[in-house]
Amino acid sequence: MANDSRIKTELNRITQELRRTLLEIKQQSIDVYLQALTDEAGTDYSLWKATKRPQRPKIHIPPARKHDRTWTRNNKEKEEAFADHLERTFQPHEEKNMDNLRRIGEMQIQRIPPITPKEILNAIKVNINPKKASVFDLITGEILKQLPKKAIVKLTYMYNAAFRLKHVPSYWKASEVIMMPKPGKSATEVASYRPISLPPVLSKRFEKLLLKRLKPILDEKQIIPTHQFGFGHHHSTIDQVHRITTLIEKKLTASVV
């Protein structure tokens, strides 16, 4: 019994000493972090980010109403309510202008230039943020930055095979959807949220490289009409407003004359 008491006393002493050591290490880490904070680009404006983080308001996430106006009781029901709303909202549109589609279908399909490993390496180095969190596939930008040369070559084969076969893997078409509340809207209504799609990082790189090759073809063949401003490079809502305003002014001037 005496030996047990001494062992317990020694254990308590070691435990307290370990706790003090851990607190000292934690405090030292905090001191080093605070001393390294600056308002310069070299540290990614760490001082500004550190002071802004505690000021973020805590957002209360209320339950949502289903389509039948009853309340969701848990996250699973809320997820199903959002899925039901998105299914009702994003229905396929009936294509009215079939002439343009027929013209596109009758055109000779051009061969898309293949991707090189050097191009993929440059895209990973320049365009990927390693701090971005992963989605359902758990592949992050940091993982891509650490890929060996052999893996880059295999990734090049995959991208070029998709171009050659004119087939995108189903895995790259899947996205993790996050519902973001719209400003000034009721947080209890599913219609007050807009979906944000987070595709896998491999899919995002593939889309960027494909767009780089498709855009010259689209411009050369004039497939996208000039009055189409959505998702167009160097086009915005303001440009479309100016266009409509100019047309109205011309019509008013013609009617006066």
Side-chain angles (χ1 to χ4, degrees):
M1 293 297 294
N3 291 335
D4 293 342
S5 295
R6 285 195 297 269
I7 293 174
K8 186 175 181 180
T9 301
E10 183 65 16
L11 177 61
N12 291 337
R13 186 189 65 78
I14 296 174
T15 302
Q16 293 176 4
E17 183 178 352
L18 177 61
R19 185 180 293 110
R20 287 193 299 269
T21 303
L22 292 176
L23 288 175
E24 291 176 359
I25 294 174
K26 183 178 180 181
Q27 186 60 47
Q28 290 175 1
S29 300
I30 294 175
D31 293 341
V32 171
Y33 169 73
L34 293 176
Q35 291 173 6
L37 294 178
T38 70
D39 58 352
E40 301 174 353
T43 60
D44 198 17
Y45 305 102
S46 56
L47 178 60
W48 178 81
K49 291 184 177 181
T51 54
K52 184 180 178 181
R53 191 177 297 113
Q55 298 176 359
R56 294 177 182 173
K58 292 183 179 181
I59 301 176
H60 172 65
I61 303 177
R65 287 186 181 275
K66 303 179 186 178
H67 182 68
D68 58 4
R69 308 307 298 165
T70 59
W71 293 99
T72 56
R73 298 178 180 272
N74 49 52
N75 290 335
K76 182 64 176 178
E77 290 188 3
K78 196 171 185 179
E79 176 185 337
E80 293 174 353
F82 280 126
D84 179 65
H85 168 68
L86 294 178
E87 184 179 0
R88 294 173 184 271
T89 302
F90 296 100
Q91 292 290 331
H93 293 285
E94 182 180 355
E95 182 57 55
K96 297 180 181 179
N97 186 10
M98 297 300 295
D99 294 337
N100 192 38
L101 289 180
R102 293 191 186 96
R103 182 171 62 87
I104 296 173
E106 292 171 358
M107 288 190 325
Q108 183 178 3
I109 300 177
Q110 292 186 238
R111 181 174 178 270
I112 298 178
I115 301 173
T116 63
K118 183 178 179 180
E119 189 176 2
I120 293 182
L121 276 173
N122 183 67
I124 293 175
K125 180 180 179 180
V126 177
N127 300 322
I128 287 184
N129 184 356
K131 297 182 181 179
K132 288 281 185 75
S134 63
V135 289
F136 59 89
D137 63 349
L138 303 181
I139 298 178
T140 63
E142 182 62 30
I143 291 177
L144 291 189
K145 287 183 176 292
Q146 300 299 331
L147 288 179
K149 183 178 180 180
K150 183 179 292 187
I152 296 295
V153 172
K154 294 293 184 181
L155 187 58
T156 307
Y157 289 160
M158 292 170 59
Y159 283 170
N160 287 329
F163 290 165
R164 186 175 65 257
L165 300 175
K166 304 178 182 64
H167 172 77
V168 179
S170 300
Y171 171 80
W172 290 351
K173 299 178 183 178
S175 296
E176 185 175 314
V177 178
I178 298 177
M179 304 301 292
M180 301 293 292
K182 300 176 183 177
K185 300 292 185 178
S186 173
T188 60
E189 299 294 333
V190 292
S192 300
Y193 294 77
R194 59 188 179 93
I196 302 295
S197 297
L198 303 177
V201 65
L202 291 176
S203 175
K204 292 175 68 176
R205 288 303 100 213
F206 174 78
E207 291 174 358
K208 291 286 187 181
L209 294 169
L210 177 60
L211 177 62
K212 181 180 177 181
R213 286 158 171 75
L214 284 183
K215 192 176 183 306
I217 299 175
L218 297 177
D219 294 339
E220 178 186 354
K221 302 293 184 179
Q222 297 182 349
I223 295 176
I224 300 178
T226 56
H227 59 268
Q228 171 64 40
F229 277 58
F231 308 101
H233 192 54
H234 295 310
H235 287 70
S236 67
T237 306
I238 299 299
D239 297 324
Q240 193 71 299
V241 171
H242 287 318
R243 177 175 175 271
I244 294 175
T245 304
T246 303
L247 291 175
I248 294 174
E249 289 178 351
K250 288 182 178 180
K251 293 294 183 181
L252 290 176
T253 304
S255 62
V256 170
V257 174

